[in-house]
Amino acid sequence: MNLLNDFRNWFERRLAAVRGETPDRPRIFSDRDGFGIFGNQGNEVAVRWDEVKNILLFQKDCFAVDQVRMTVLLENGIVFGDLNEDMPGWKELTATLPNVLPGCLTVEEWFPKVCRTAFEPNPTTIFRRTTRRSAEVVGTGRD
């Protein structure tokens, strides 16, 4: 981890404390390069936008209410999942997605689909990469 990431982690923890957020609660971050989660020990899991292959949203029945959740499939087959609407940074992430992933549905487009009936999952794909990344098309450069 470099100095910039260390500073960002420190700053995010301080900002969360000022907002009164629980420091043990994971926080979603997103920027022009990608998105990820800051964990409770200052650890970070990050994904570049060009690694995203598919994004699925669905509702989870949480007894008295539903919770919108997100599962992200990466190009390498890894599932980066269980982001949810109660996590700090969710609104910023869902607002950013259409700006960085061409063809991704906006909140206004996906919300009625995902939340159309209570206590039903209503799985909805909001993004699907239709072309392979150029590095995969061209090859690795190895003979």
Side-chain angles (χ1 to χ4, degrees):
M1 199 177 286
N2 65 32
L3 185 59
L4 181 60
N5 282 338
D6 289 341
F7 176 76
R8 186 167 58 173
N9 289 340
W10 174 86
F11 182 77
E12 286 290 323
R13 288 192 306 272
R14 297 295 84 70
L15 188 58
V18 168
R19 291 179 179 156
E21 297 169 356
T22 306
D24 292 344
R25 188 173 177 192
R27 176 176 180 72
I28 301 168
F29 68 89
S30 57
D31 59 27
R32 63 183 173 85
D33 299 321
F35 75 101
I37 299 175
F38 285 118
N40 60 351
Q41 300 297 318
N43 54 339
E44 175 183 320
V45 178
V47 173
R48 292 187 328 268
W49 294 121
D50 65 350
E51 295 178 289
V52 176
K53 182 176 182 179
N54 192 8
I55 300 176
L56 176 74
L57 295 179
F58 60 96
Q59 288 188 121
K60 169 86 171 150
D61 182 356
C62 297
F63 188 63
V65 296
D66 284 336
Q67 182 183 64
V68 177
R69 295 193 175 189
M70 178 185 295
T71 299
V72 180
L73 176 64
L74 304 181
E75 289 282 351
N76 62 9
I78 292 175
V79 175
F80 186 92
D82 218 14
L83 304 173
N84 68 71
E85 66 180 327
D86 295 327
M87 295 174 74
W90 170 268
K91 288 181 183 176
E92 295 82 359
L93 173 64
T94 56
T96 299
L97 290 173
N99 298 323
V100 294
L101 297 173
C104 184
L105 299 180
T106 64
V107 174
E108 293 78 16
E109 293 170 319
W110 63 253
F111 188 84
K113 296 176 183 185
V114 175
C115 301
R116 70 177 174 257
T117 52
F119 307 111
E120 295 293 327
N122 303 322
T124 303
T125 298
I126 65 164
F127 175 76
R128 178 174 288 129
R129 190 173 304 280
T130 56
T131 60
R132 298 175 75 182
R133 294 187 305 175
S134 60
E136 293 173 344
V137 173
V138 174
T140 60
R142 291 183 237 155
D143 294 337

